[in-house]
Amino acid sequence: MESPAVPAAAPPDDEASAFRALADPTRRQILEDLRGGELAAREIASRFSISAPSISRHLGVLKGAGLVTERRDANRILYSLAEDRLALCVGRFLSTVCPEQIVLRNTTWRSAPEGDAS
């Protein structure tokens, strides 16, 4: 029987923990790997040349920052990307630091015809 996803541990306004989590390249790679959907901890660990306990610590940091959620499925722990939290943290920072670029990118993306990959 599946259990529901465990909510992100970090308070929504604690963006510093998200940026600390993003500072490590292994954690960034884990987030990229989760882009395609949820993965079991063992599947995540198999993609790296470091130990499973090290991956577990990285997953704990990501969960603590609210960037991933976890749910139990029998004896497996499945991790998912917390896209909204990641987008809010990074987006809020970018809109403060370089608001013109955000506007330009949104305009460019919206003006591209559907099916145009450019």
Side-chain angles (χ1 to χ4, degrees):
M1 172 180 250
E2 292 182 9
S3 60
V6 176
D13 59 342
D14 183 15
E15 292 175 7
S17 66
F19 283 101
R20 280 191 297 274
L22 291 171
D24 186 275
T26 299
R27 292 192 285 267
R28 290 193 307 270
Q29 184 60 54
I30 291 170
L31 294 175
E32 285 184 42
D33 291 349
L34 290 172
R35 172 180 61 192
E38 72 181 3
L39 293 171
R42 180 173 289 200
E43 293 172 288
I44 295 168
S46 73
R47 296 169 182 230
F48 295 90
S49 60
I50 60 177
S51 70
S54 292
I55 291 297
S56 183
R57 283 189 292 278
H58 284 296
L59 287 166
V61 170
L62 290 168
K63 184 181 172 204
L67 300 178
V68 298
T69 59
E70 70 176 29
R71 72 175 179 88
R72 286 206 174 269
D73 180 26
N75 63 344
R76 299 183 328 153
I77 299 175
L78 300 170
Y79 290 89
S80 298
L81 181 61
E83 293 176 11
D84 290 347
R85 165 93 169 129
L86 179 59
L88 284 172
C89 289
V90 175
R92 193 174 305 141
F93 173 75
L94 288 175
S95 67
T96 301
V97 174
C98 51
E100 304 83 22
Q101 294 301 315
I102 297 298
V103 170
L104 290 174
R105 270 185 267 149
N106 285 339
T107 303
T108 303
W109 290 339
R110 288 188 182 135
S111 64
E114 228 173 90
D116 186 333
S118 59

PDB file of all heavy atoms in Angstrom, residues 28-39 47 67-68 79-83 86:
ATOM      1  N   ARG A  28      22.644  18.881  -7.226  1.00  0.00           N
ATOM      2  CA  ARG A  28      22.061  19.418  -8.459  1.00  0.00           C
ATOM      3  C   ARG A  28      21.795  18.300  -9.457  1.00  0.00           C
ATOM      4  O   ARG A  28      20.759  18.280 -10.129  1.00  0.00           O
ATOM      5  CB  ARG A  28      22.953  20.500  -9.063  1.00  0.00           C
ATOM      6  CG  ARG A  28      22.971  21.785  -8.242  1.00  0.00           C
ATOM      7  CD  ARG A  28      23.604  22.945  -8.993  1.00  0.00           C
ATOM      8  NE  ARG A  28      24.922  22.678  -9.537  1.00  0.00           N
ATOM      9  CZ  ARG A  28      26.074  22.881  -8.898  1.00  0.00           C
ATOM     10  NH1 ARG A  28      26.072  23.364  -7.657  1.00  0.00           N
ATOM     11  NH2 ARG A  28      27.234  22.616  -9.486  1.00  0.00           N
ATOM     12  N   GLN A  29      22.707  17.333  -9.530  1.00  0.00           N
ATOM     13  CA  GLN A  29      22.512  16.203 -10.446  1.00  0.00           C
ATOM     14  C   GLN A  29      21.324  15.352 -10.012  1.00  0.00           C
ATOM     15  O   GLN A  29      20.553  14.877 -10.847  1.00  0.00           O
ATOM     16  CB  GLN A  29      23.778  15.348 -10.537  1.00  0.00           C
ATOM     17  CG  GLN A  29      23.666  14.221 -11.557  1.00  0.00           C
ATOM     18  CD  GLN A  29      23.414  14.726 -12.968  1.00  0.00           C
ATOM     19  OE1 GLN A  29      24.157  15.558 -13.462  1.00  0.00           O
ATOM     20  NE2 GLN A  29      22.357  14.250 -13.611  1.00  0.00           N
ATOM     21  N   ILE A  30      21.159  15.162  -8.719  1.00  0.00           N
ATOM     22  CA  ILE A  30      19.997  14.417  -8.219  1.00  0.00           C
ATOM     23  C   ILE A  30      18.712  15.115  -8.653  1.00  0.00           C
ATOM     24  O   ILE A  30      17.769  14.469  -9.129  1.00  0.00           O
ATOM     25  CB  ILE A  30      20.051  14.250  -6.683  1.00  0.00           C
ATOM     26  CG1 ILE A  30      21.189  13.294  -6.295  1.00  0.00           C
ATOM     27  CG2 ILE A  30      18.719  13.748  -6.136  1.00  0.00           C
ATOM     28  CD1 ILE A  30      21.487  13.254  -4.800  1.00  0.00           C
ATOM     29  N   LEU A  31      18.668  16.430  -8.514  1.00  0.00           N
ATOM     30  CA  LEU A  31      17.476  17.172  -8.936  1.00  0.00           C
ATOM     31  C   LEU A  31      17.236  17.003 -10.428  1.00  0.00           C
ATOM     32  O   LEU A  31      16.089  16.817 -10.861  1.00  0.00           O
ATOM     33  CB  LEU A  31      17.603  18.653  -8.567  1.00  0.00           C
ATOM     34  CG  LEU A  31      17.623  18.966  -7.072  1.00  0.00           C
ATOM     35  CD1 LEU A  31      17.881  20.453  -6.844  1.00  0.00           C
ATOM     36  CD2 LEU A  31      16.334  18.523  -6.398  1.00  0.00           C
ATOM     37  N   GLU A  32      18.293  17.053 -11.220  1.00  0.00           N
ATOM     38  CA  GLU A  32      18.145  16.841 -12.664  1.00  0.00           C
ATOM     39  C   GLU A  32      17.616  15.445 -12.955  1.00  0.00           C
ATOM     40  O   GLU A  32      16.755  15.269 -13.817  1.00  0.00           O
ATOM     41  CB  GLU A  32      19.475  17.055 -13.387  1.00  0.00           C
ATOM     42  CG  GLU A  32      19.857  18.506 -13.521  1.00  0.00           C
ATOM     43  CD  GLU A  32      21.133  18.692 -14.338  1.00  0.00           C
ATOM     44  OE1 GLU A  32      21.282  17.995 -15.373  1.00  0.00           O
ATOM     45  OE2 GLU A  32      21.963  19.519 -13.940  1.00  0.00           O
ATOM     46  N   ASP A  33      18.111  14.455 -12.235  1.00  0.00           N
ATOM     47  CA  ASP A  33      17.656  13.081 -12.438  1.00  0.00           C
ATOM     48  C   ASP A  33      16.173  12.927 -12.081  1.00  0.00           C
ATOM     49  O   ASP A  33      15.458  12.151 -12.713  1.00  0.00           O
ATOM     50  CB  ASP A  33      18.488  12.106 -11.612  1.00  0.00           C
ATOM     51  CG  ASP A  33      19.924  11.975 -12.116  1.00  0.00           C
ATOM     52  OD1 ASP A  33      20.231  12.467 -13.226  1.00  0.00           O
ATOM     53  OD2 ASP A  33      20.746  11.385 -11.385  1.00  0.00           O
ATOM     54  N   LEU A  34      15.726  13.671 -11.078  1.00  0.00           N
ATOM     55  CA  LEU A  34      14.317  13.593 -10.662  1.00  0.00           C
ATOM     56  C   LEU A  34      13.380  14.353 -11.595  1.00  0.00           C
ATOM     57  O   LEU A  34      12.171  14.243 -11.479  1.00  0.00           O
ATOM     58  CB  LEU A  34      14.167  14.118  -9.223  1.00  0.00           C
ATOM     59  CG  LEU A  34      14.776  13.222  -8.150  1.00  0.00           C
ATOM     60  CD1 LEU A  34      14.749  13.922  -6.801  1.00  0.00           C
ATOM     61  CD2 LEU A  34      14.052  11.880  -8.087  1.00  0.00           C
ATOM     62  N   ARG A  35      13.952  15.085 -12.520  1.00  0.00           N
ATOM     63  CA  ARG A  35      13.156  15.845 -13.483  1.00  0.00           C
ATOM     64  C   ARG A  35      12.211  14.924 -14.252  1.00  0.00           C
ATOM     65  O   ARG A  35      11.100  15.316 -14.600  1.00  0.00           O
ATOM     66  CB  ARG A  35      14.119  16.580 -14.409  1.00  0.00           C
ATOM     67  CG  ARG A  35      13.530  17.281 -15.580  1.00  0.00           C
ATOM     68  CD  ARG A  35      14.601  17.954 -16.383  1.00  0.00           C
ATOM     69  NE  ARG A  35      15.547  16.963 -16.899  1.00  0.00           N
ATOM     70  CZ  ARG A  35      16.704  17.237 -17.433  1.00  0.00           C
ATOM     71  NH1 ARG A  35      17.119  18.476 -17.525  1.00  0.00           N
ATOM     72  NH2 ARG A  35      17.481  16.282 -17.905  1.00  0.00           N
ATOM     73  N   GLY A  36      12.633  13.695 -14.507  1.00  0.00           N
ATOM     74  CA  GLY A  36      11.811  12.750 -15.264  1.00  0.00           C
ATOM     75  C   GLY A  36      10.742  12.044 -14.446  1.00  0.00           C
ATOM     76  O   GLY A  36       9.978  11.262 -14.985  1.00  0.00           O
ATOM     77  N   GLY A  37      10.694  12.282 -13.158  1.00  0.00           N
ATOM     78  CA  GLY A  37       9.705  11.628 -12.299  1.00  0.00           C
ATOM     79  C   GLY A  37      10.366  11.027 -11.075  1.00  0.00           C
ATOM     80  O   GLY A  37      11.590  11.067 -10.924  1.00  0.00           O
ATOM     81  N   GLU A  38       9.546  10.443 -10.227  1.00  0.00           N
ATOM     82  CA  GLU A  38      10.082   9.931  -8.968  1.00  0.00           C
ATOM     83  C   GLU A  38      10.997   8.733  -9.193  1.00  0.00           C
ATOM     84  O   GLU A  38      10.830   7.967 -10.135  1.00  0.00           O
ATOM     85  CB  GLU A  38       8.953   9.616  -7.993  1.00  0.00           C
ATOM     86  CG  GLU A  38       8.128   8.420  -8.327  1.00  0.00           C
ATOM     87  CD  GLU A  38       7.007   8.182  -7.323  1.00  0.00           C
ATOM     88  OE1 GLU A  38       6.816   8.971  -6.379  1.00  0.00           O
ATOM     89  OE2 GLU A  38       6.311   7.182  -7.502  1.00  0.00           O
ATOM     90  N   LEU A  39      11.970   8.636  -8.282  1.00  0.00           N
ATOM     91  CA  LEU A  39      12.931   7.545  -8.308  1.00  0.00           C
ATOM     92  C   LEU A  39      13.115   7.004  -6.904  1.00  0.00           C
ATOM     93  O   LEU A  39      13.054   7.753  -5.924  1.00  0.00           O
ATOM     94  CB  LEU A  39      14.299   8.033  -8.814  1.00  0.00           C
ATOM     95  CG  LEU A  39      14.409   8.477 -10.269  1.00  0.00           C
ATOM     96  CD1 LEU A  39      15.765   9.131 -10.514  1.00  0.00           C
ATOM     97  CD2 LEU A  39      14.214   7.290 -11.204  1.00  0.00           C
ATOM     98  N   ARG A  47      23.246   5.754  -9.827  1.00  0.00           N
ATOM     99  CA  ARG A  47      23.707   6.683 -10.863  1.00  0.00           C
ATOM    100  C   ARG A  47      25.003   7.395 -10.479  1.00  0.00           C
ATOM    101  O   ARG A  47      25.519   8.179 -11.263  1.00  0.00           O
ATOM    102  CB  ARG A  47      22.618   7.721 -11.132  1.00  0.00           C
ATOM    103  CG  ARG A  47      21.355   7.105 -11.696  1.00  0.00           C
ATOM    104  CD  ARG A  47      20.211   8.091 -11.693  1.00  0.00           C
ATOM    105  NE  ARG A  47      19.017   7.434 -12.192  1.00  0.00           N
ATOM    106  CZ  ARG A  47      18.241   7.929 -13.148  1.00  0.00           C
ATOM    107  NH1 ARG A  47      18.539   9.089 -13.703  1.00  0.00           N
ATOM    108  NH2 ARG A  47      17.181   7.275 -13.544  1.00  0.00           N
ATOM    109  N   LEU A  67      13.321  20.738  -1.351  1.00  0.00           N
ATOM    110  CA  LEU A  67      13.469  20.612  -2.795  1.00  0.00           C
ATOM    111  C   LEU A  67      13.054  19.249  -3.333  1.00  0.00           C
ATOM    112  O   LEU A  67      12.873  19.084  -4.533  1.00  0.00           O
ATOM    113  CB  LEU A  67      14.912  20.925  -3.210  1.00  0.00           C
ATOM    114  CG  LEU A  67      15.388  22.336  -2.860  1.00  0.00           C
ATOM    115  CD1 LEU A  67      16.841  22.524  -3.280  1.00  0.00           C
ATOM    116  CD2 LEU A  67      14.495  23.391  -3.488  1.00  0.00           C
ATOM    117  N   VAL A  68      12.911  18.271  -2.444  1.00  0.00           N
ATOM    118  CA  VAL A  68      12.375  16.964  -2.822  1.00  0.00           C
ATOM    119  C   VAL A  68      11.356  16.532  -1.769  1.00  0.00           C
ATOM    120  O   VAL A  68      11.390  16.985  -0.623  1.00  0.00           O
ATOM    121  CB  VAL A  68      13.467  15.872  -2.957  1.00  0.00           C
ATOM    122  CG1 VAL A  68      14.465  16.215  -4.041  1.00  0.00           C
ATOM    123  CG2 VAL A  68      14.160  15.589  -1.652  1.00  0.00           C
ATOM    124  N   TYR A  79      11.545   9.283  -4.167  1.00  0.00           N
ATOM    125  CA  TYR A  79      11.793  10.720  -4.103  1.00  0.00           C
ATOM    126  C   TYR A  79      11.258  11.401  -5.350  1.00  0.00           C
ATOM    127  O   TYR A  79      11.344  10.852  -6.451  1.00  0.00           O
ATOM    128  CB  TYR A  79      13.296  11.002  -3.967  1.00  0.00           C
ATOM    129  CG  TYR A  79      13.829  10.600  -2.612  1.00  0.00           C
ATOM    130  CD1 TYR A  79      14.303   9.321  -2.391  1.00  0.00           C
ATOM    131  CD2 TYR A  79      13.814  11.502  -1.559  1.00  0.00           C
ATOM    132  CE1 TYR A  79      14.763   8.942  -1.143  1.00  0.00           C
ATOM    133  CE2 TYR A  79      14.280  11.135  -0.306  1.00  0.00           C
ATOM    134  CZ  TYR A  79      14.743   9.850  -0.109  1.00  0.00           C
ATOM    135  OH  TYR A  79      15.193   9.488   1.137  1.00  0.00           O
ATOM    136  N   SER A  80      10.708  12.596  -5.155  1.00  0.00           N
ATOM    137  CA  SER A  80      10.196  13.410  -6.255  1.00  0.00           C
ATOM    138  C   SER A  80      10.720  14.830  -6.118  1.00  0.00           C
ATOM    139  O   SER A  80      10.947  15.325  -5.005  1.00  0.00           O
ATOM    140  CB  SER A  80       8.662  13.478  -6.218  1.00  0.00           C
ATOM    141  OG  SER A  80       8.103  12.211  -6.378  1.00  0.00           O
ATOM    142  N   LEU A  81      10.864  15.468  -7.242  1.00  0.00           N
ATOM    143  CA  LEU A  81      11.286  16.866  -7.285  1.00  0.00           C
ATOM    144  C   LEU A  81      10.135  17.751  -6.814  1.00  0.00           C
ATOM    145  O   LEU A  81       9.004  17.599  -7.264  1.00  0.00           O
ATOM    146  CB  LEU A  81      11.668  17.224  -8.726  1.00  0.00           C
ATOM    147  CG  LEU A  81      12.173  18.619  -9.021  1.00  0.00           C
ATOM    148  CD1 LEU A  81      13.440  18.919  -8.252  1.00  0.00           C
ATOM    149  CD2 LEU A  81      12.426  18.758 -10.522  1.00  0.00           C
ATOM    150  N   ALA A  82      10.426  18.680  -5.912  1.00  0.00           N
ATOM    151  CA  ALA A  82       9.438  19.665  -5.456  1.00  0.00           C
ATOM    152  C   ALA A  82       9.582  20.897  -6.354  1.00  0.00           C
ATOM    153  O   ALA A  82      10.192  21.901  -5.977  1.00  0.00           O
ATOM    154  CB  ALA A  82       9.643  19.999  -3.985  1.00  0.00           C
ATOM    155  N   GLU A  83       9.045  20.776  -7.576  1.00  0.00           N
ATOM    156  CA  GLU A  83       9.255  21.796  -8.605  1.00  0.00           C
ATOM    157  C   GLU A  83       8.815  23.186  -8.169  1.00  0.00           C
ATOM    158  O   GLU A  83       9.500  24.168  -8.448  1.00  0.00           O
ATOM    159  CB  GLU A  83       8.510  21.399  -9.878  1.00  0.00           C
ATOM    160  CG  GLU A  83       9.070  20.176 -10.540  1.00  0.00           C
ATOM    161  CD  GLU A  83       8.258  19.744 -11.747  1.00  0.00           C
ATOM    162  OE1 GLU A  83       7.372  20.503 -12.197  1.00  0.00           O
ATOM    163  OE2 GLU A  83       8.514  18.648 -12.252  1.00  0.00           O
ATOM    164  N   LEU A  86      11.348  24.793  -5.755  1.00  0.00           N
ATOM    165  CA  LEU A  86      12.573  25.151  -6.467  1.00  0.00           C
ATOM    166  C   LEU A  86      12.340  26.383  -7.339  1.00  0.00           C
ATOM    167  O   LEU A  86      13.116  27.340  -7.304  1.00  0.00           O
ATOM    168  CB  LEU A  86      13.046  23.973  -7.319  1.00  0.00           C
ATOM    169  CG  LEU A  86      14.307  24.178  -8.147  1.00  0.00           C
ATOM    170  CD1 LEU A  86      15.492  24.533  -7.254  1.00  0.00           C
ATOM    171  CD2 LEU A  86      14.608  22.930  -8.949  1.00  0.00           C
TER     172      LEU A  86
END
